């Protein structure tokens, strides 16, 4: 974990497989995604137009923006399909007992 990074409890439960849910930590909107049972955290902002990603379609480990259909990899934010050209901001997620935490 990089210097200055901390783990914070996620105030929502893991959505159903293939689902997403928005939550807020310290005034920042984040999106918790369930890709095949694996949780991923990303900033809730499409790197293309800064629109919310909530309700985007998960295919494997990619998330498709619900606005223009661009896709990026949930594991590292790498763009996969235009119009997304910049990496999305990803956040590590871990299990802490019965809770989930985000870095």
């Amino acid at each position: 974990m990089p210097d200055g990074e901390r783990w914070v409890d996620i105030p929502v439960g893991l959505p159903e497989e293939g689902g997403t849910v928005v939550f807020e930590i310290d005034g920042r909107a984040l999106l918790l995604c369930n890709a095949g049972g694996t949780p991923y955290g990303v900033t809730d902002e499409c790197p293309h137009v800064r629109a919310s990603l909530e309700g985007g379609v998960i295919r494997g480990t990619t998330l498709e923006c619900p606005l223009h259909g661009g896709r990026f990899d949930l594991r590292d934010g790498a763009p996969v399909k235009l119009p997304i050209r910049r990496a999305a901001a990803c956040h590590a997620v871990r299990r802490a007992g019965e809770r989930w935490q985000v870095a």
Side-chain angles (χ1 to χ4, degrees), residues 12-82:
V12 296
L14 186 64
E16 292 183 16
E17 191 170 319
T20 63
V21 63
V22 175
F23 63 99
E24 192 172 301
I25 301 271
D26 296 335
R28 294 177 60 192
L30 302 174
L31 187 74
L32 182 61
C33 304
N34 183 340
T38 301
Y40 293 96
V42 297
T43 297
D44 183 34
E45 181 177 274
C46 176
H48 170 235
V49 293
R50 297 184 175 170
S52 174
L53 295 165
E54 186 173 26
V57 176
I58 296 173
R59 291 188 177 103
T61 59
T62 66
L63 178 65
E64 182 177 305
C65 174
L67 188 59
H68 290 119
R71 291 197 312 250
F72 64 88
D73 196 311
L74 289 166
R75 296 172 294 184
D76 60 7
V80 173
K81 181 182 174 205
L82 294 175

Side-chain angles (χ1 to χ4, degrees), residues 7-15 32 34 37-40 93-102:
W7 291 98
V8 179
D9 288 345
I10 296 174
V12 296
L14 186 64
L32 182 61
N34 183 340
T38 301
Y40 293 96
V93 175
R94 71 177 183 186
R95 186 80 134 145
E98 294 298 311
R99 302 177 320 269
W100 290 102
Q101 293 182 324
V102 64

